[in-house]
Amino acid sequence: MNSELKPSTPTNRPAPLASEAEIQAAYQGRQAAGGYVQRRFTSELMLLLHDRQVVAINRAIRRHAPARTLEIAPGPGRVTRDVRPAGELVCLEFNEGMIAEGQAACQNGAVWHQGNAFELPFANEFELIYSYRFVRHFHREDRDRLYTGVREALRPGGRFVMDAVNQRVSERLRQAKPDNYPIYDKLYSGQDELRTELAEAGFEALEFEPVLRWYRLQYQAQVLLGPRSQRACRLAIRTLERLRRGPALEWIVTCRRG
């Protein structure tokens, strides 16, 4: 039996959305798709997160030159539009509104398909698969379903890149402002917990790249400097990112199909 428990919530606050149907509905429609990037990725903090995620995928493409790459749940193509594919880039997205936005925004030849990430219609077809801000939204049993599909879609030795949230940093933020987090995120106590989870799903974790290394200080820079000087805010946040001792808010995780 799965030992992962859903977090308890006060009786007057609904549990964060986490099921397959709930997540699909949360991002349904052109209105949700059209404002997604503007709502979530305009601050210097989120722009840094975006840049690091894009760099990680483009680096993997340069290293491995995949003939076929799959992005799962690309939304409106936030990352997709900045990816430089070495071969074919396939995007599998459930919501039609997201697909329409993504196709309009992406000029790199990405091929878009409507489909369910829990029912991937592929077998041993990709050398690289990546997905951001998706796998983390589900409880363990559903994450295992996603891992199974990814593993079957990858060729032996293929790479899978995803993101994961650090409990040490994020839990306090969520406890302070729970209404800011209406969608569930799995919080990992450390890299060992995620390494074990991936191993049980048939993946070898190769790299954990920390992102937003000094989140509390970077957030303070965003609050204090952002309204006054975007340039100063950007400089402060990215300078802090180059320091290597702070606990990261998230990791970009690269693993290999066993």
Side-chain angles (χ1 to χ4, degrees), residues 68-77 79-81 83 88-94 98-99 102-103 106 108-115 120 122 126 130:
R68 301 193 76 202
T69 297
L70 173 65
E71 181 176 5
I72 297 174
V79 172
T80 320
R81 65 192 71 182
V83 169
E88 183 181 23
L89 174 59
V90 178
C91 298
L92 186 87
E93 170 60 46
F94 182 81
M98 293 290 188
I99 294 174
Q103 287 177 324
C106 297
N108 56 5
V111 179
W112 289 74
H113 293 285
Q114 184 178 20
L120 293 181
F122 309 110
F126 299 94
Y130 67 95

Short mmCIF file of all heavy atoms in Angstrom, two decimals, residues 68-77 79-81 83 88-94 98-99 102-103 106 108-115 120 122 126 130:
data_model
loop_
_atom_site.label_atom_id
_atom_site.label_comp_id
_atom_site.label_asym_id
_atom_site.label_seq_id
_atom_site.Cartn_x
_atom_site.Cartn_y
_atom_site.Cartn_z
N ARG A 68 14.34 12.39 -31.65
CA ARG A 68 12.97 12.75 -31.28
C ARG A 68 12.93 13.11 -29.81
O ARG A 68 13.46 12.38 -28.96
CB ARG A 68 11.99 11.60 -31.56
CG ARG A 68 11.92 11.14 -33.01
CD ARG A 68 10.72 10.25 -33.23
NE ARG A 68 9.48 11.01 -33.29
CZ ARG A 68 8.26 10.50 -33.05
NH1 ARG A 68 8.14 9.25 -32.67
NH2 ARG A 68 7.18 11.25 -33.17
N THR A 69 12.30 14.24 -29.52
CA THR A 69 12.13 14.73 -28.16
C THR A 69 10.64 14.92 -27.89
O THR A 69 9.91 15.39 -28.77
CB THR A 69 12.87 16.07 -27.96
OG1 THR A 69 14.27 15.87 -28.15
CG2 THR A 69 12.63 16.63 -26.57
N LEU A 70 10.20 14.57 -26.70
CA LEU A 70 8.80 14.72 -26.32
C LEU A 70 8.70 15.66 -25.13
O LEU A 70 9.38 15.46 -24.12
CB LEU A 70 8.18 13.37 -25.96
CG LEU A 70 6.76 13.38 -25.38
CD1 LEU A 70 5.76 13.88 -26.42
CD2 LEU A 70 6.37 11.99 -24.88
N GLU A 71 7.84 16.67 -25.24
CA GLU A 71 7.48 17.49 -24.09
C GLU A 71 6.07 17.13 -23.67
O GLU A 71 5.13 17.18 -24.47
CB GLU A 71 7.56 18.99 -24.40
CG GLU A 71 7.21 19.84 -23.19
CD GLU A 71 7.38 21.34 -23.42
OE1 GLU A 71 7.68 21.74 -24.56
OE2 GLU A 71 7.17 22.10 -22.45
N ILE A 72 5.91 16.78 -22.40
CA ILE A 72 4.61 16.40 -21.86
C ILE A 72 4.02 17.57 -21.11
O ILE A 72 4.68 18.20 -20.29
CB ILE A 72 4.75 15.19 -20.91
CG1 ILE A 72 5.25 13.96 -21.68
CG2 ILE A 72 3.42 14.88 -20.24
CD1 ILE A 72 5.55 12.77 -20.78
N ALA A 73 2.76 17.89 -21.40
CA ALA A 73 2.03 18.99 -20.76
C ALA A 73 2.77 20.32 -20.91
O ALA A 73 3.09 20.97 -19.92
CB ALA A 73 1.77 18.67 -19.30
N PRO A 74 3.02 20.75 -22.14
CA PRO A 74 3.74 22.01 -22.36
C PRO A 74 2.91 23.24 -22.09
O PRO A 74 3.44 24.36 -22.10
CB PRO A 74 4.11 21.93 -23.84
CG PRO A 74 3.03 21.09 -24.45
CD PRO A 74 2.70 20.06 -23.40
N GLY A 75 1.60 23.08 -21.84
CA GLY A 75 0.76 24.26 -21.65
C GLY A 75 0.79 25.12 -22.89
O GLY A 75 0.72 24.62 -24.02
N PRO A 76 0.92 26.44 -22.75
CA PRO A 76 0.92 27.34 -23.91
C PRO A 76 2.30 27.49 -24.54
O PRO A 76 2.56 28.48 -25.22
CB PRO A 76 0.44 28.66 -23.32
CG PRO A 76 0.97 28.65 -21.93
CD PRO A 76 0.90 27.21 -21.48
N GLY A 77 3.18 26.53 -24.30
CA GLY A 77 4.50 26.57 -24.92
C GLY A 77 5.47 27.51 -24.25
O GLY A 77 6.38 28.02 -24.91
N VAL A 79 8.00 26.94 -22.21
CA VAL A 79 9.37 26.45 -22.42
C VAL A 79 9.59 26.11 -23.88
O VAL A 79 10.65 26.41 -24.45
CB VAL A 79 9.63 25.22 -21.53
CG1 VAL A 79 10.98 24.57 -21.87
CG2 VAL A 79 9.60 25.62 -20.06
N THR A 80 8.59 25.53 -24.50
CA THR A 80 8.71 25.04 -25.88
C THR A 80 9.24 26.10 -26.83
O THR A 80 10.10 25.82 -27.68
CB THR A 80 7.32 24.58 -26.39
OG1 THR A 80 6.63 23.91 -25.37
CG2 THR A 80 7.47 23.69 -27.61
N ARG A 81 8.75 27.31 -26.69
CA ARG A 81 9.10 28.36 -27.65
C ARG A 81 10.58 28.72 -27.63
O ARG A 81 11.10 29.28 -28.60
CB ARG A 81 8.25 29.61 -27.38
CG ARG A 81 8.49 30.29 -26.05
CD ARG A 81 7.43 31.33 -25.73
NE ARG A 81 6.15 30.72 -25.41
CZ ARG A 81 5.05 31.40 -25.11
NH1 ARG A 81 5.07 32.73 -25.13
NH2 ARG A 81 3.92 30.78 -24.82
N VAL A 83 13.02 26.32 -26.88
CA VAL A 83 13.80 25.11 -27.08
C VAL A 83 14.32 25.06 -28.51
O VAL A 83 13.62 25.44 -29.46
CB VAL A 83 12.94 23.86 -26.77
CG1 VAL A 83 13.62 22.58 -27.23
CG2 VAL A 83 12.65 23.78 -25.28
N GLU A 88 13.10 16.09 -34.24
CA GLU A 88 11.68 16.39 -34.10
C GLU A 88 11.34 16.64 -32.64
O GLU A 88 11.74 15.89 -31.75
CB GLU A 88 10.84 15.23 -34.63
CG GLU A 88 9.34 15.50 -34.58
CD GLU A 88 8.51 14.34 -35.08
OE1 GLU A 88 9.01 13.20 -35.05
OE2 GLU A 88 7.36 14.58 -35.49
N LEU A 89 10.58 17.70 -32.39
CA LEU A 89 10.07 18.02 -31.06
C LEU A 89 8.56 17.83 -31.07
O LEU A 89 7.84 18.53 -31.80
CB LEU A 89 10.42 19.45 -30.67
CG LEU A 89 9.81 19.97 -29.35
CD1 LEU A 89 10.23 19.10 -28.16
CD2 LEU A 89 10.20 21.43 -29.12
N VAL A 90 8.08 16.89 -30.28
CA VAL A 90 6.65 16.57 -30.19
C VAL A 90 6.13 17.10 -28.85
O VAL A 90 6.75 16.89 -27.81
CB VAL A 90 6.42 15.06 -30.28
CG1 VAL A 90 4.93 14.73 -30.12
CG2 VAL A 90 6.95 14.52 -31.61
N CYS A 91 5.00 17.79 -28.89
CA CYS A 91 4.37 18.33 -27.68
C CYS A 91 3.02 17.67 -27.48
O CYS A 91 2.16 17.75 -28.36
CB CYS A 91 4.19 19.84 -27.80
SG CYS A 91 5.74 20.75 -27.98
N LEU A 92 2.84 17.03 -26.34
CA LEU A 92 1.57 16.37 -26.02
C LEU A 92 0.87 17.16 -24.94
O LEU A 92 1.35 17.25 -23.81
CB LEU A 92 1.81 14.94 -25.55
CG LEU A 92 0.51 14.16 -25.34
CD1 LEU A 92 0.08 13.50 -26.64
CD2 LEU A 92 0.66 13.11 -24.25
N GLU A 93 -0.27 17.74 -25.27
CA GLU A 93 -1.02 18.60 -24.35
C GLU A 93 -2.49 18.19 -24.38
O GLU A 93 -3.05 17.89 -25.43
CB GLU A 93 -0.86 20.05 -24.77
CG GLU A 93 -1.75 21.05 -24.07
CD GLU A 93 -1.57 21.08 -22.56
OE1 GLU A 93 -0.42 21.09 -22.10
OE2 GLU A 93 -2.60 21.05 -21.84
N PHE A 94 -3.13 18.19 -23.21
CA PHE A 94 -4.52 17.75 -23.11
C PHE A 94 -5.50 18.83 -23.54
O PHE A 94 -6.50 18.54 -24.21
CB PHE A 94 -4.82 17.33 -21.67
CG PHE A 94 -6.21 16.80 -21.47
CD1 PHE A 94 -6.53 15.50 -21.79
CD2 PHE A 94 -7.21 17.62 -20.95
CE1 PHE A 94 -7.83 15.01 -21.62
CE2 PHE A 94 -8.50 17.15 -20.76
CZ PHE A 94 -8.81 15.85 -21.11
N MET A 98 -4.66 25.49 -24.62
CA MET A 98 -3.21 25.53 -24.48
C MET A 98 -2.52 25.23 -25.81
O MET A 98 -1.52 25.87 -26.17
CB MET A 98 -2.75 24.53 -23.42
CG MET A 98 -3.20 24.86 -22.00
SD MET A 98 -2.34 26.31 -21.34
CE MET A 98 -2.90 26.28 -19.63
N ILE A 99 -3.05 24.27 -26.54
CA ILE A 99 -2.46 23.92 -27.83
C ILE A 99 -2.53 25.10 -28.79
O ILE A 99 -1.55 25.42 -29.48
CB ILE A 99 -3.18 22.69 -28.43
CG1 ILE A 99 -2.91 21.45 -27.56
CG2 ILE A 99 -2.72 22.44 -29.86
CD1 ILE A 99 -3.67 20.23 -27.98
N GLY A 102 0.02 27.63 -27.74
CA GLY A 102 1.37 27.14 -27.97
C GLY A 102 1.74 27.13 -29.44
O GLY A 102 2.86 27.52 -29.81
N GLN A 103 0.85 26.70 -30.29
CA GLN A 103 1.14 26.70 -31.73
C GLN A 103 1.40 28.10 -32.25
O GLN A 103 2.27 28.31 -33.10
CB GLN A 103 -0.03 26.05 -32.49
CG GLN A 103 -0.12 24.55 -32.31
CD GLN A 103 -1.32 23.94 -33.01
OE1 GLN A 103 -2.40 24.55 -33.06
NE2 GLN A 103 -1.16 22.75 -33.54
N CYS A 106 5.07 29.29 -30.85
CA CYS A 106 6.29 28.53 -31.12
C CYS A 106 6.62 28.55 -32.61
O CYS A 106 5.78 28.22 -33.45
CB CYS A 106 6.14 27.10 -30.63
SG CYS A 106 5.89 26.98 -28.86
N ASN A 108 9.61 26.99 -33.76
CA ASN A 108 10.75 26.08 -33.89
C ASN A 108 10.39 24.73 -34.50
O ASN A 108 11.14 23.76 -34.37
CB ASN A 108 11.41 25.88 -32.52
CG ASN A 108 10.43 25.37 -31.46
OD1 ASN A 108 9.27 25.09 -31.76
ND2 ASN A 108 10.89 25.26 -30.22
N GLY A 109 9.24 24.65 -35.14
CA GLY A 109 8.83 23.42 -35.81
C GLY A 109 8.23 22.37 -34.90
O GLY A 109 8.04 21.22 -35.33
N ALA A 110 7.92 22.71 -33.66
CA ALA A 110 7.32 21.74 -32.74
C ALA A 110 6.00 21.22 -33.31
O ALA A 110 5.20 21.98 -33.87
CB ALA A 110 7.08 22.38 -31.38
N VAL A 111 5.78 19.92 -33.14
CA VAL A 111 4.56 19.26 -33.62
C VAL A 111 3.66 19.02 -32.41
O VAL A 111 4.05 18.33 -31.46
CB VAL A 111 4.89 17.93 -34.32
CG1 VAL A 111 3.62 17.24 -34.77
CG2 VAL A 111 5.84 18.16 -35.49
N TRP A 112 2.45 19.58 -32.45
CA TRP A 112 1.55 19.51 -31.30
C TRP A 112 0.50 18.43 -31.50
O TRP A 112 -0.07 18.30 -32.58
CB TRP A 112 0.86 20.86 -31.10
CG TRP A 112 1.80 21.91 -30.59
CD1 TRP A 112 2.77 22.55 -31.31
CD2 TRP A 112 1.88 22.43 -29.27
NE1 TRP A 112 3.45 23.43 -30.50
CE2 TRP A 112 2.91 23.39 -29.25
CE3 TRP A 112 1.15 22.20 -28.10
CZ2 TRP A 112 3.26 24.10 -28.10
CZ3 TRP A 112 1.48 22.91 -26.96
CH2 TRP A 112 2.53 23.85 -26.96
N HIS A 113 0.25 17.68 -30.42
CA HIS A 113 -0.78 16.65 -30.42
C HIS A 113 -1.64 16.81 -29.18
O HIS A 113 -1.12 17.10 -28.09
CB HIS A 113 -0.17 15.25 -30.41
CG HIS A 113 0.58 14.89 -31.66
ND1 HIS A 113 -0.04 14.57 -32.84
CD2 HIS A 113 1.91 14.81 -31.89
CE1 HIS A 113 0.87 14.29 -33.76
NE2 HIS A 113 2.06 14.45 -33.21
N GLN A 114 -2.93 16.61 -29.33
CA GLN A 114 -3.80 16.57 -28.17
C GLN A 114 -3.82 15.15 -27.63
O GLN A 114 -4.02 14.18 -28.39
CB GLN A 114 -5.22 17.02 -28.50
CG GLN A 114 -6.12 17.08 -27.27
CD GLN A 114 -7.52 17.56 -27.59
OE1 GLN A 114 -7.96 17.51 -28.74
NE2 GLN A 114 -8.25 18.03 -26.58
N GLY A 115 -3.59 15.01 -26.33
CA GLY A 115 -3.59 13.68 -25.75
C GLY A 115 -3.45 13.74 -24.25
O GLY A 115 -3.17 14.78 -23.66
N LEU A 120 -0.01 7.76 -22.76
CA LEU A 120 0.90 8.16 -23.83
C LEU A 120 0.83 7.15 -24.98
O LEU A 120 1.01 5.94 -24.78
CB LEU A 120 2.34 8.24 -23.31
CG LEU A 120 2.64 9.34 -22.29
CD1 LEU A 120 4.12 9.29 -21.90
CD2 LEU A 120 2.29 10.71 -22.85
N PHE A 122 2.84 6.20 -27.24
CA PHE A 122 4.17 6.01 -27.80
C PHE A 122 4.84 4.80 -27.14
O PHE A 122 4.56 4.48 -25.99
CB PHE A 122 5.05 7.25 -27.55
CG PHE A 122 4.43 8.55 -27.96
CD1 PHE A 122 4.02 9.47 -27.01
CD2 PHE A 122 4.25 8.85 -29.30
CE1 PHE A 122 3.47 10.69 -27.37
CE2 PHE A 122 3.68 10.06 -29.69
CZ PHE A 122 3.28 10.98 -28.73
N PHE A 126 11.41 7.88 -28.19
CA PHE A 126 12.09 9.14 -27.89
C PHE A 126 13.40 8.89 -27.14
O PHE A 126 13.48 8.01 -26.28
CB PHE A 126 11.19 10.06 -27.06
CG PHE A 126 9.91 10.44 -27.76
CD1 PHE A 126 8.75 9.70 -27.54
CD2 PHE A 126 9.88 11.50 -28.64
CE1 PHE A 126 7.57 10.04 -28.20
CE2 PHE A 126 8.70 11.84 -29.31
CZ PHE A 126 7.56 11.12 -29.09
N TYR A 130 10.80 15.48 -21.54
CA TYR A 130 10.85 16.41 -20.41
C TYR A 130 9.45 16.93 -20.10
O TYR A 130 8.56 16.95 -20.96
CB TYR A 130 11.82 17.57 -20.68
CG TYR A 130 11.42 18.52 -21.79
CD1 TYR A 130 10.73 19.70 -21.51
CD2 TYR A 130 11.76 18.27 -23.11
CE1 TYR A 130 10.39 20.59 -22.51
CE2 TYR A 130 11.42 19.15 -24.12
CZ TYR A 130 10.75 20.31 -23.82
OH TYR A 130 10.40 21.19 -24.82
#
